[in-house]
Amino acid sequence: MIYLDDLEVGTETYFGSCEVDRDEVIEFARRYDPQPFHLSDEAAAKTHFGRLAASGWHSCAMVMGVIARKVVETEQAGLGSPGIDELRWLKPVYPGDTLHVSSKIVEVRPSRSKPEIGSIRSATTVTNQDGVPVLTFTSIVLMRRRPV
């Protein structure tokens, strides 16, 4: 099990990757972000996207899937997240892209009021198959401390 006490500022982690599937892009958009450039090649061609683009929220959901699978696989003592900061969609994400997710720990902080837990802040970067950053954010994760 990986606890808060095992983590250090500067530690970098590669979480993995995922393929962006056209049918999933359209289905997500139909349900959660029904803007024309997420639903139709023709509508997207009339925008700065130039072609069908994934919703930024879908991109975030795909990234969360990559991160969550790695956290479960490596048995981290995570307790969820109170949120994220500085979310930026830098470039469009298109069907056929491969997203790669990595992060760098920028803060490890034991809780002052609850000594059994603490939090980390990580700068997360998502790149496409060409190494171009498409999404960045700072995540905040609550974690258990190593039992005494």
Side-chain angles (χ1 to χ4, degrees):
M1 180 75 65
I2 298 172
Y3 294 94
L4 180 81
D5 309 273
D6 301 320
L7 302 175
E8 297 179 355
V9 170
T11 300
E12 295 185 30
T13 301
Y14 177 70
F15 288 94
S17 65
C18 68
E19 302 285 326
V20 182
D21 179 79
R22 177 184 172 77
D23 292 339
E24 289 179 8
V25 166
I26 294 169
E27 181 57 28
F28 185 96
R30 277 192 190 116
R31 294 190 70 194
Y32 303 111
D33 192 357
Q35 299 181 74
F37 44 82
H38 298 318
L39 295 167
S40 156
D41 291 306
E42 295 76 23
K46 297 175 186 174
T47 70
H48 65 287
F49 295 116
R51 59 188 172 114
L52 187 74
S55 164
W57 296 113
H58 185 198
S59 298
C60 289
M62 289 184 281
V63 168
M64 186 64 216
V66 171
I67 292 171
R69 283 186 283 281
K70 181 74 167 188
V71 166
V72 169
E73 174 189 307
T74 57
E75 298 183 11
Q76 295 186 22
L79 297 170
S81 173
I84 60 171
D85 291 331
E86 303 169 12
L87 171 62
R88 298 288 181 267
W89 292 296
L90 304 172
K91 298 281 183 187
V93 170
Y94 298 109
D97 282 353
T98 300
L99 302 181
H100 297 274
V101 184
S102 59
S103 72
K104 182 177 184 177
I105 296 175
V106 296
E107 178 182 69
V108 178
R109 188 175 66 186
S111 173
R112 285 182 243 151
S113 61
K114 297 178 180 175
E116 71 279 6
I117 68 170
S119 65
I120 63 167
R121 293 172 64 84
S122 296
T124 301
T125 301
V126 181
T127 58
N128 65 17
Q129 64 282 353
D130 299 319
V132 175
V134 297
L135 171 64
T136 61
F137 60 90
T138 301
S139 64
I140 306 158
V141 177
L142 301 175
M143 292 188 75
R144 290 183 297 237
R145 302 207 49 207
R146 184 171 296 288
V148 179

